[in-house]
Amino acid sequence: MAGGEGRRVAPQGGLDRLQLWLLSGIGLALLAAVVVTPLDLRNQALLSGGVFVLSLLLNRWQSRVATLAMVIVSITISTRYLYWRFTTTLLAAEFSIDVVLGTVLLLAELYAFVMLLLGYLQSLSTLERKPVPLPEDTSSWPSVDIYIPTYNEPLEVVRTTVLAAKAVDWPADKLNVYILDDGRRDAFRAFAAKAGVGYIIRPDNKHAKAGNLNHAMKKTRGELIAIFDCDHIPTRSFLQTTVGWFLKDPKLALVQTPHHFYSPDPFERNLKTFKTAPNEGELFYGLLQPANDLWDATFFCGSCAVIRRTALEEVGGIAVETVTEDAHTALKMQRRGWSTAYMNLTQAAGLATESLSAHVGQRIRWARGMVQIFRIDNPFLGRGLRLPQRLCYAASMLHFLGGVPRLIFLIAPISYLIFNRHIFSALPIAALAYGLPHLAHLTLTNSRIQGKVRYSFWSEVYETCLAYYIALPTTVALINPKLGKFNVTAKGGVVEKSYFEVKIARPYLVLLAINLAGAIAGLWKLSHGSLEPDVVYINLAWSAHNILILAGTLAVAWEQKQLREAPRVTVKLPAMVRLANGTTLRSSSNDLSRLGGAFTVPTDRDLKPGQRLWVSLFTHGDECPLPAEVVAYQGKTLRVKFASLSMEEELALTQAIFSRANAWTRWKEGRAKDSIIASWTSIVSHAVRGSWQIGKSLVLPTPSRPEKPAVAGSAS
Amino acid sequence: MRPWSIGALLSLFAALFLATAARADTRSVSHTQTLDLAGALHDPTQAAVSFPFAARSDEVLTSAEVRLTFTKADLSNVHGLEVLVSSERIAQLTPEEIGKTAEPHIISIPSQNLSDRNLLTLRLATDSDGPCASVPAGTWKFLKAAELSTESSPLPLPSDLALLPLPFIDRGFDKDATVPVVFATEPTPDRVRLAGIVAGWLGMDNGLPLKFPVRVGELPETSAIVFVDSAEQAAALGLPAPEGATARLIDNPKVPGSNVKLLVLSGSTPEELERAVRNVSTGTAPLAGEKVRFDNVPPVTTSAPYDAPRWLPSGAVPFGQFPRKNVLTHQGSAPGTISVKFRVAPDLWTWPVENVVLDLGYTEATPIGTKPPRLDVEFNGVFLATLPELPPSPGEMTGRAQIRIRSEQLRGFNELLVHVAYPGVDACNAQNTDDVHVSITPDSRFRLEGFSHFANMPDVASFVHDGFPFTRVADMGETALVLPNRPEPAEIGSALSLLAHFASVTGTVGTRLTVLSADQFLANPRLDKDVLLVGLPSDHTALRRWADLMPLQLGSSGGQLQMPAQNNVVLRFLSGRMGHSEMRRAQPVVSGSKGFAAVMGWESPARPGRSVVAVTATSTAKMPSIEDMSGFANARSKAGDLLVSSGNGRWMFRIGPSYDVGTLKPWTQTRWQLANHWLVLFPAVLLGAVVLAARVKRGLDERTRERMS
């Protein structure tokens, strides 16, 4: 074309706004065409198969555009399913049991669809924040109060946290550590005095943790407040990593960091997946929170966070209206124009809930609290938030309403298998042709976007485990948000014997029995000649899936014994072992806990159990020998338990284990990539093992739950 | 009932009287029927099965024989088999005789046992006698087949027009019928058109497949319809000179004094013949006596599309207002069936609605102490549902059910059956009183509201069964029948058979049909009509002109499959049907048969939106009648553009491109176009996803920069 240079349409930097909107419009129109086109069975099957292959090909392309395209294809296929569901499978309008059941199922599916969309929105892209360097001049650094609230936790648990908090790198004149003791215990007061930290108590326990923090706020004056649950041990770099952002952004109210657990949670312990598979929390802290951060919708999680005092004061302190005060406080601050940040760098570590019942109890509180917020301070209503913020907050809250829909999915197939109700007006093969691609795409796409933080199908197990327990509290909270009480999550303890947690498992045993009955009824139908074997098959397959997930869930309820009072942490540090006769041996640590440790001692020595010696760990600063006693010496591995340590010695040990800046950064190394098939197989094997154990426990006399739950360990 | 039916009855009595008086005709006619054992044996424990048989109205039975074929079976429960005709025992077979299975047993029925209406009964000997005797299940297995052959003599018929459709059709006797047609001279398009109107008139009310053997310039030795439009023609055939526009029924001069009659439609000019034909076909003047003369031209009425009297109008028409009067009640407690037959427009487009709703009301009256009946609903041969049982209460109870029918089961012609069975009641202990009955309420209806008229063509199946698209306008006002320039009798016969069928579909005679010779048509191919081409390609210049649009080229030695020319290969490709697999499927059928008939359809290249259907064959002997085309065809799809009918069976294929006729609502039209070109969805999803993904990524990157700064 003549004068080509002068007529360049798209200058560098791309297209103008109108063209972009036009392109998006065309893209949407093309996808809408895919959603609304009715096809006969054969073509629907071919289209589904073809589009899935397309998605598999996209999955081979390691690019963000490919990820986003997969998400969009998945949404398109799911919308196509739902469009078909609404336009062709609804039952006649006349009132009947079938219509009622069918509507219930449809509503459950609609909920799942909305959550799918919100879930994709919430994980489209994460914000990977890096620490902002602090200025050279420490006098310009803000003053920080570290709050460690406690109520009934043992001092053994709290003291490590306090010592580590004291060891955080920050100008000493600008750092104050406070124990906020709602248990008002003398031992704590004495320890605080000895450790040189503040000790704050109040006359009552009104509003529990929130009230405790609010009370302390009136007593201290730090510009920033860092909050740690009493078992969350910070690294020394915690403040240097997080505070920079407060200086850079004057409207920043909160920096939240991940909650990391160095002890196995009940799932990890009972299914033996500790460190080999992502745990339940990683999806939230590894993907959802950093993605929320992109939309300025990260919320406070109660611990391992820094809050700006002025922001907190502006909203009247920590919120007390709900049982999830943390999330609510963040929402309130954001409504007033404050922004929040998330740093996906593990700068603290804590103990996981040690029993399934405690885990369930904690989640009931979260579920109830989030639904309370949804009711009394709905993110869709009120001023001050932008749409993405509203959607992200809503996603986090609505997630907890999943109990009832999940129970519906767990029961639905028996409505046909046992009661012969047709709650879905379509050929079963058509339901398969439309429904299966919807499930296949969301599985594939989620494996791609969440694979690092959640293996395929594990959400099913996690959420099924909670479904029954959160169903009622969330429904109650939805009706009346005032009903609900705070319960402390007990941590740090032993499970002396393996036992079957019947109390938690009972509803799932019932659901399993119901599905088994359905499956038997279905097989009976087939063997006695059914007029509609295809309907039987599809419901049988559904029931089989339910049985698998329920059996997997029940495997979690088989509580494995946990003997160590203080979990060991892998710590590789140079060390010295000094014997009573003055001999010094070069050594290195393998793992450590506050009670003992294992070391590699290359030189062969005659070390007897009970022999006394000193161990020095080299992290930074001065050498501090720790008195210890040999437990065993085998091969080149020396196991010791520490004798009673002085405060300085305990501080040195704590620093060696917990305070190193890189203490938790290599935690996820060596983990396998998510594989849909491998993950499914592992759930099958858990299910088989679980059912075997449960079968045994129901037939043979086996240990049941110990008389007194070994929750609080050696509680003071 | 037509007004002349009573006349016909009277004449029949007269004829019978005549027959007994003088048996002039000594020719003999034979009929054979295979007795449907499975159909007659409702219950395997029945001890007896009966088959009614009768004589044709213009014949008298002279002899009959039953041919029984046995097969090896357990005879331990068989004590003997009786053959009865109208309660008289004709023969008794012992178990030993039944055991001889090598040859069929032939039992002759003496003429003294035969009357006009007879009942043949096969009865197993049992301990208990009487109508309700029973035998163990499986006893009947020894009986493989039964066949009845009858011999009749013709009865001389009076020459009375009121007898029509006798001698051509006896509705109570014939399963199909042959109606010879005679043209006195060269069958011009105009003469064929008039014959077509008469064929339609015969086809309209008789519901049988009709064949029309055509003769030119000579009379057959059978009954026939003769067209005469000048005195010379009448003289040449040895018929009386026409007296104006007349219809007359006379003895065939070749077979006088018999039931062999000629219906002569005549005029001394073509206009007078046309007047006679129009009067006969519209029934404006009563047909009675030997001759009727028509002085008036009946008014011409014009059909609008879809107003065929036999088709349900659109909407939800209550059963009580259906064009065909169906009996909606079953009396008594014997097992029985209520049948509701109806036609809908063949292009009623339900897509993408998967189900149509049958809103069925039913009432039951059962005496106290009787269990309520079980009501099973069947639609076009598919079981739908058992109706909910009504709570027993004195008097009449009414229920209502909404039943879903898969849309593709709805066809042009439909039959709804409600099978009534009282538990524990069979034909023997049934009560036949008025206080036991089941009815379908006349306000029951199929919910057919909101559907458009639209069809994806070509669809030769719809053509063969419903005459579509030609029956769309019932009086054939939008149909051009194009014949060879010099049509052979067989070609005219095929056309007449089709026209008779169209009339039986619509209930209207195609009085506005246009008939053209191939050359006349080619002079004006842009004619705004659907075109029906009938004839051999060798005779038919119009067929040859469009040879490249047909999936099959026919010659005397067989056929050659080809991919029809198509304008838009891309759209065809996107439909996912390139037709090659269908061509491969058709190959052995076409090459395996030397001679066959074919029906093909395509879109008119001269008039887009108009359809062309060709009915053709490899030779005149193979030119098909409607009976050859209809019935089961081996097919992979519901519609096709090629139907091959040979002696071995029928096959339908979908080889060429498709086109749409009719209009849809814009939204449905859009979705249909997408669905019909569904392969476009693959690039759509890929392109749409990538474009949007790129757009979203841009937005996310912008957002990330904003958050980080």
Side-chain angles (χ1 to χ4, degrees):
Chain A
M1 192 181 291
E5 242 168 78
R7 301 204 45 180
R8 192 175 290 161
V9 182
Q12 232 229 330
L15 314 155
D16 67 33
R17 261 188 110 67
L18 183 72
Q19 284 168 319
L20 277 176
W21 279 114
L22 207 67
L23 263 179
S24 316
I26 291 170
L28 277 175
L30 289 171
L31 298 175
V34 179
V35 168
V36 302
T37 302
L39 291 179
D40 59 31
L41 257 179
R42 171 184 162 273
N43 289 357
Q44 167 62 20
L46 290 172
L47 178 75
S48 311
V51 172
F52 190 68
V53 169
L54 218 66
S55 217
L56 284 173
L57 291 176
L58 281 172
N59 196 24
R60 300 179 69 99
W61 177 22
Q62 293 304 322
S63 124
R64 287 217 13 247
V65 173
T67 311
L68 293 169
M70 281 175 71
V71 169
I72 291 164
V73 170
S74 168
I75 291 174
T76 306
I77 294 299
S78 293
T79 312
R80 177 171 170 76
Y81 167 72
L82 210 69
Y83 186 86
W84 170 80
R85 192 81 172 77
F86 269 96
T87 50
T88 63
T89 71
L90 297 192
L91 297 157
E94 283 79 15
F95 181 85
S96 69
I97 296 175
D98 289 358
V99 170
V100 173
L101 295 177
T103 309
V104 167
L105 180 64
L106 188 69
L107 288 175
E109 287 189 65
L110 204 59
Y111 167 85
F113 178 72
V114 169
M115 290 317 293
L116 179 75
L117 292 187
L118 288 173
Y120 279 146
L121 174 81
Q122 238 187 340
S123 49
L124 275 184
S125 182
T126 56
L127 198 62
E128 304 295 342
R129 282 185 194 261
K130 300 272 176 298
V132 171
L134 289 157
E136 294 279 316
D137 173 18
T138 57
S139 67
S140 63
W141 295 12
S143 59
V144 182
D145 294 332
I146 296 181
Y147 288 174
I148 301 163
T150 170
Y151 170 52
N152 61 357
E153 299 84 356
L155 184 56
E156 280 69 26
V157 171
V158 180
R159 60 192 296 149
T160 316
T161 308
V162 172
L163 292 175
K166 243 190 100 53
V168 167
D169 284 338
W170 203 251
D173 58 328
K174 291 187 179 238
L175 179 69
N176 290 297
V177 179
Y178 299 95
I179 302 175
L180 318 182
D181 184 18
D182 261 3
R184 294 181 281 280
R185 289 158 289 185
D186 291 337
F188 277 58
R189 180 187 295 276
F191 168 72
K194 205 169 147 196
V197 301
Y199 180 74
I200 300 176
I201 56 169
R202 53 178 181 150
D204 57 26
N205 285 1
K206 215 174 155 198
H207 298 312
K209 182 177 169 187
N212 197 0
L213 293 169
N214 286 339
H215 176 259
M217 264 176 70
K218 297 190 190 106
K219 306 272 178 191
T220 71
R221 350 200 121 268
E223 294 161 65
L224 300 177
I225 297 168
I227 297 168
F228 293 98
D229 279 350
C230 65
D231 63 315
H232 278 147
I233 306 161
T235 62
R236 52 186 296 174
S237 52
F238 179 84
L239 289 175
Q240 302 222 358
T241 309
T242 51
V243 171
W245 279 100
F246 284 99
L247 299 178
K248 186 173 176 187
D249 178 2
K251 286 303 284 175
L252 186 65
L254 164 84
V255 173
Q256 175 69 51
T257 68
H259 289 189
H260 173 76
F261 300 107
Y262 63 91
S263 68
D265 67 21
F267 291 94
E268 292 173 308
R269 190 178 67 250
N270 298 340
L271 300 180
K272 302 192 171 70
T273 57
F274 190 44
K275 292 191 187 180
T276 60
N279 67 30
E280 196 221 12
E282 283 186 39
L283 174 65
F284 179 72
Y285 289 109
L287 179 65
L288 300 183
Q289 278 285 58
N292 281 342
D293 193 16
L294 182 70
W295 306 111
D296 194 6
T298 287
F299 56 87
F300 177 38
C301 300
S303 176
C304 310
V306 189
I307 307 183
R308 193 189 291 271
R309 176 181 283 270
T310 47
L312 200 53
E313 280 171 351
E314 202 179 313
V315 297
I318 303 287
V320 295
E321 299 94 323
T322 64
V323 296
T324 44
E325 68 288 338
D326 38 19
H328 194 190
T329 306
L331 177 64
K332 282 175 149 188
M333 293 192 295
Q334 299 224 277
R335 281 193 189 277
R336 297 188 143 255
W338 291 98
S339 76
T340 60
Y342 180 75
M343 297 203 63
N344 195 10
L345 296 168
T346 307
Q347 290 295 306
L351 292 168
T353 47
E354 93 292 353
S355 73
L356 184 61
S357 57
H359 172 91
V360 169
Q362 182 189 48
R363 299 310 151 100
I364 293 172
R365 177 169 70 80
W366 292 0
R368 180 190 283 146
M370 291 305 253
V371 175
Q372 282 178 320
I373 304 175
F374 190 73
R375 267 300 308 278
I376 65 177
D377 198 3
N378 191 298
F380 286 120
L381 309 173
R383 309 184 53 153
L385 297 177
R386 279 177 315 235
L387 184 64
Q389 289 178 307
R390 294 181 194 276
L391 291 173
C392 287
Y393 271 99
S396 302
M397 293 169 191
L398 291 173
H399 165 77
F400 287 101
L401 287 176
V404 174
R406 188 161 289 276
L407 290 180
I408 292 168
F409 294 135
L410 286 173
I411 298 172
I414 64 153
S415 66
Y416 173 76
L417 291 175
I418 297 181
F419 300 106
N420 275 319
R421 315 264 29 140
H422 291 78
I423 60 177
F424 201 103
S425 161
L427 284 181
I429 187 87
L432 213 61
Y434 280 87
L436 208 59
H438 148 69
L439 298 174
H441 277 274
L442 77 88
T443 304
L444 178 68
T445 310
N446 275 330
S447 170
R448 169 143 171 153
I449 59 184
Q450 312 182 339
K452 279 187 186 148
V453 288
R454 167 89 34 111
Y455 284 173
S456 298
F457 308 110
W458 279 87
S459 294
E460 298 275 304
V461 175
Y462 293 140
E463 283 165 25
T464 300
C465 194
L466 296 177
Y468 175 81
Y469 291 99
I470 63 171
L472 192 64
T474 51
T475 310
V476 168
L478 202 60
I479 296 161
N480 183 357
K482 295 257 159 30
L483 298 174
K485 64 181 194 345
F486 189 92
N487 52 340
V488 177
T489 314
K491 290 177 181 175
V494 296
V495 178
E496 280 151 357
K497 278 178 170 174
S498 295
Y499 65 95
F500 185 49
E501 178 55 281
V502 180
K503 213 176 114 203
I504 294 288
R506 192 171 292 131
Y508 301 109
L509 278 171
V510 172
L511 284 168
L512 183 68
I514 288 174
N515 275 284
L516 282 171
I520 290 164
L523 293 172
W524 188 88
K525 276 194 167 101
L526 286 180
S527 66
H528 285 71
S530 169
L531 280 177
E532 33 191 20
D534 45 353
V535 187
V536 181
Y537 280 123
I538 194 166
N539 279 287
L540 265 181
W542 188 350
S543 232
H545 174 81
N546 287 347
I547 289 168
L548 170 68
I549 295 298
L550 286 166
T553 305
L554 286 167
V556 183
W558 185 259
E559 290 280 24
Q560 300 294 309
K561 56 185 171 187
Q562 170 179 288
L563 287 176
R564 240 172 230 118
E565 250 177 80
R568 294 207 171 172
V569 180
T570 308
V571 182
K572 304 278 183 197
L573 284 176
M576 284 290 201
V577 175
R578 185 146 50 84
L579 307 181
N581 61 10
T583 321
T584 308
L585 306 172
R586 222 154 52 78
S587 163
S588 64
S589 65
N590 294 342
D591 58 57
L592 292 170
S593 78
R594 62 185 165 84
L595 300 178
F599 297 85
T600 304
V601 180
T603 23
D604 214 7
R605 289 284 162 160
D606 190 24
L607 298 170
K608 295 265 180 322
Q611 189 177 335
R612 297 192 156 259
L613 40 69
W614 284 264
V615 181
S616 301
L617 293 161
F618 297 94
T619 45
H620 72 301
D622 301 333
E623 176 188 351
C624 180
L626 308 172
E629 190 178 283
V630 176
V631 174
Y633 181 59
Q634 232 177 358
K636 289 186 162 64
T637 304
L638 170 68
R639 300 187 174 283
V640 302
K641 68 175 181 193
F642 297 121
S644 63
L645 301 179
S646 72
M647 187 73 77
E648 272 139 59
E649 287 162 349
E650 197 180 342
L651 181 63
L653 179 61
T654 301
Q655 285 184 309
I657 305 175
F658 298 108
S659 288
R660 289 166 296 118
N662 62 354
W664 315 111
T665 47
R666 307 183 69 177
W667 190 265
K668 291 169 192 170
E669 274 179 11
R671 221 184 247 170
K673 218 176 139 224
D674 178 35
S675 142
I676 293 174
I677 292 165
S679 188
W680 190 81
T681 323
S682 87
I683 286 180
V684 171
S685 78
H686 290 311
V688 169
R689 199 170 43 78
S691 359
W692 171 246
Q693 284 171 333
I694 291 153
K696 259 194 336 196
S697 81
L698 293 176
V699 174
L700 306 168
T702 46
S704 64
R705 188 186 171 87
E707 278 299 297
K708 268 196 167 177
V711 189
S714 48
S716 58
Chain B
M1 270 210 171
R2 298 254 153 186
W4 38 266
S5 299
I6 296 160
L9 225 63
L10 290 172
S11 309
L12 200 64
F13 287 130
L16 294 175
F17 174 74
L18 266 174
T20 41
R23 296 199 163 183
D25 196 343
T26 52
R27 292 169 310 135
S28 172
V29 190
S30 59
H31 303 279
T32 303
Q33 56 171 315
T34 306
L35 305 178
D36 177 16
L37 281 170
L41 204 64
H42 294 295
D43 173 358
T45 64
Q46 252 172 262
V49 285
S50 295
F51 309 89
F53 66 99
R56 205 172 189 267
S57 304
D58 59 351
E59 291 170 4
V60 64
L61 289 172
T62 51
S63 69
E65 61 182 38
V66 182
R67 193 182 177 87
L68 299 174
T69 316
F70 298 131
T71 184
K72 290 255 181 279
D74 175 22
L75 295 177
S76 56
N77 291 316
V78 180
H79 308 301
L81 179 70
E82 285 179 316
V83 180
L84 303 95
V85 171
S86 305
S87 310
E88 291 285 325
R89 188 157 81 197
I90 305 297
Q92 183 158 27
L93 299 176
T94 60
E96 291 69 46
E97 287 172 297
I98 293 168
K100 292 174 192 152
T101 55
E103 296 207 336
H105 291 252
I106 295 170
I107 297 145
S108 294
I109 302 168
S111 60
Q112 66 268 23
N113 289 90
L114 295 170
S115 62
D116 295 319
R117 309 218 163 270
N118 310 283
L119 190 68
L120 169 68
T121 303
L122 304 178
R123 190 164 71 197
L124 287 169
T126 55
D127 303 336
S128 66
D129 240 10
C132 290
S134 68
V135 292
T139 310
W140 279 105
K141 279 194 177 154
F142 68 88
L143 187 55
K144 189 181 175 191
E147 211 175 65
L148 176 73
S149 313
T150 55
E151 293 278 323
S152 318
S153 296
L155 274 180
L157 280 182
S159 290
D160 188 343
L161 289 164
L163 285 174
L164 288 169
L166 266 183
F168 304 108
I169 299 166
D170 176 353
R171 266 176 273 178
F173 187 87
D174 293 328
K175 300 277 178 284
D176 51 46
T178 300
V179 182
V181 166
V182 177
F183 293 100
T185 178
E186 182 200 1
T188 58
D190 224 35
R191 291 192 181 111
V192 172
R193 181 177 61 84
L194 295 178
I197 292 173
V198 174
W201 167 68
L202 271 178
M204 181 170 66
D205 284 322
N206 293 306
L208 307 175
L210 298 181
K211 275 192 182 116
F212 295 91
V214 171
R215 284 186 180 227
V216 180
E218 55 163 350
L219 293 177
E221 295 192 351
T222 60
S223 299
I225 301 177
V226 185
F227 294 91
V228 171
D229 59 21
S230 72
E232 297 79 52
Q233 290 173 15
L237 289 173
L239 299 173
E243 304 160 25
T246 49
R248 69 166 79 199
L249 193 66
I250 57 171
D251 273 3
N252 186 334
K254 290 190 173 172
V255 195
S258 164
N259 64 351
V260 179
K261 297 283 176 182
L262 298 179
L263 170 62
V264 183
L265 298 170
S266 59
S268 39
T269 62
E271 289 72 32
E272 282 185 356
L273 175 59
E274 169 128 21
R275 198 198 306 161
V277 163
R278 282 186 174 282
N279 274 290
V280 167
S281 66
T282 48
T284 40
L287 293 176
E290 192 249 332
K291 177 173 86 179
V292 175
R293 188 187 154 117
F294 307 100
D295 294 320
N296 302 318
V297 180
V300 176
T301 52
T302 317
S303 306
Y306 307 108
D307 71 354
R310 294 216 170 125
W311 295 4
L312 287 191
S314 56
V317 183
F319 285 11
Q321 293 169 24
F322 274 16
R324 180 197 285 261
K325 293 297 159 230
N326 294 293
V327 178
L328 298 177
T329 300
H330 173 69
Q331 294 280 0
S333 64
T337 299
I338 301 171
S339 153
V340 180
K341 296 177 179 170
F342 63 99
R343 278 192 169 275
V344 297
D347 62 347
L348 195 68
W349 186 255
T350 51
W351 188 95
V353 176
E354 289 187 349
N355 299 298
V356 292
V357 175
L358 163 61
D359 177 12
L360 191 69
Y362 54 106
T363 59
E364 291 172 6
T366 31
I368 294 149
T370 314
K371 280 193 184 161
R374 176 190 163 100
L375 304 178
D376 290 323
V377 184
E378 178 186 328
F379 185 74
N380 287 345
V382 176
F383 171 79
L384 290 182
T386 300
L387 293 178
E389 207 169 271
L390 298 178
S393 76
E396 218 176 48
M397 298 158 294
T398 302
R400 211 157 182 98
Q402 314 286 319
I403 302 172
R404 295 183 157 216
I405 299 171
R406 304 219 32 95
S407 297
E408 66 258 25
Q409 279 165 19
L410 190 72
R411 296 195 282 257
F413 178 74
N414 302 284
E415 187 173 31
L416 175 79
L417 299 176
V418 178
H419 301 288
V420 183
Y422 289 82
V425 177
D426 58 30
C428 298
N429 56 7
Q431 291 176 283
N432 214 348
T433 52
D434 277 355
D435 57 344
V436 188
H437 65 255
V438 172
S439 298
I440 300 304
T441 58
D443 63 345
S444 303
R445 58 192 72 196
F446 288 90
R447 307 292 300 273
L448 301 175
E449 309 101 313
F451 296 126
S452 303
H453 289 294
F454 185 82
N456 185 229
M457 304 285 278
D459 186 350
V460 291
S462 179
F463 165 77
V464 162
H465 293 119
D466 310 314
F468 193 80
F470 306 105
T471 46
R472 194 178 74 94
V473 177
D475 64 7
M476 302 285 126
E478 294 193 8
T479 296
L481 168 65
V482 180
L483 290 168
N485 294 334
R486 298 185 64 82
E488 293 289 326
E491 294 167 329
I492 300 171
S494 278
L496 296 180
S497 175
L498 283 168
L499 293 170
H501 175 59
F502 293 169
S504 80
V505 168
T506 59
T508 302
V509 177
T511 47
R512 292 206 302 136
L513 175 75
T514 303
V515 182
L516 300 171
S517 73
D519 284 352
Q520 281 171 330
F521 173 67
L522 288 176
N524 180 21
R526 282 189 47 75
L527 189 69
D528 189 14
K529 287 181 193 297
D530 293 311
V531 180
L532 177 57
L533 304 175
V534 179
L536 300 187
S538 52
D539 301 346
H540 207 303
T541 47
L543 261 175
R544 287 207 300 277
R545 168 72 66 87
W546 281 341
D548 62 335
L549 298 171
M550 295 179 237
L552 180 62
Q553 297 240 35
L554 290 183
S556 55
S557 57
Q560 178 69 46
L561 285 163
Q562 63 174 19
M563 183 53 69
Q566 48 208 20
N567 342 345
N568 199 326
V569 183
V570 176
L571 280 182
R572 178 94 206 266
F573 173 77
L574 290 178
S575 75
R577 282 190 319 267
M578 293 302 284
H580 297 300
S581 70
E582 284 285 271
M583 248 171 110
R584 279 195 296 280
R585 195 169 72 90
Q587 195 57 57
V589 174
V590 170
S591 53
S593 170
K594 274 278 163 264
F596 50 82
V599 180
M600 292 179 270
W602 64 89
E603 184 177 25
S604 164
R607 268 273 173 190
R610 284 292 182 185
S611 299
V612 181
V613 174
V615 175
T616 180
T618 47
S619 65
T620 48
K622 297 286 179 185
M623 275 306 288
S625 73
I626 186 67
E627 207 178 0
D628 300 321
M629 297 179 249
S630 53
F632 172 79
N634 189 318
R636 279 199 189 148
S637 51
K638 219 181 143 194
D641 61 350
L642 170 64
L643 180 86
V644 173
S645 168
S646 78
N648 310 326
R650 280 175 288 270
W651 291 263
M652 187 169 73
F653 308 99
R654 191 174 187 178
I655 293 172
S658 72
Y659 61 98
D660 295 328
V661 296
T663 48
L664 292 175
K665 293 171 203 124
W667 177 234
T668 314
Q669 172 76 29
T670 310
R671 295 170 79 200
W672 163 248
Q673 287 306 334
L674 285 167
N676 199 28
H677 303 105
W678 65 285
L679 287 178
V680 80
L681 298 179
F682 285 107
V685 74
L686 187 63
L687 201 67
V690 170
V691 164
L692 271 189
R695 175 73 189 87
V696 170
K697 181 180 178 295
R698 207 183 141 95
L700 291 173
D701 288 349
E702 258 170 44
R703 178 72 189 154
T704 306
R705 278 197 297 277
E706 194 183 309
R707 284 290 282 159
M708 286 300 206
S709 62

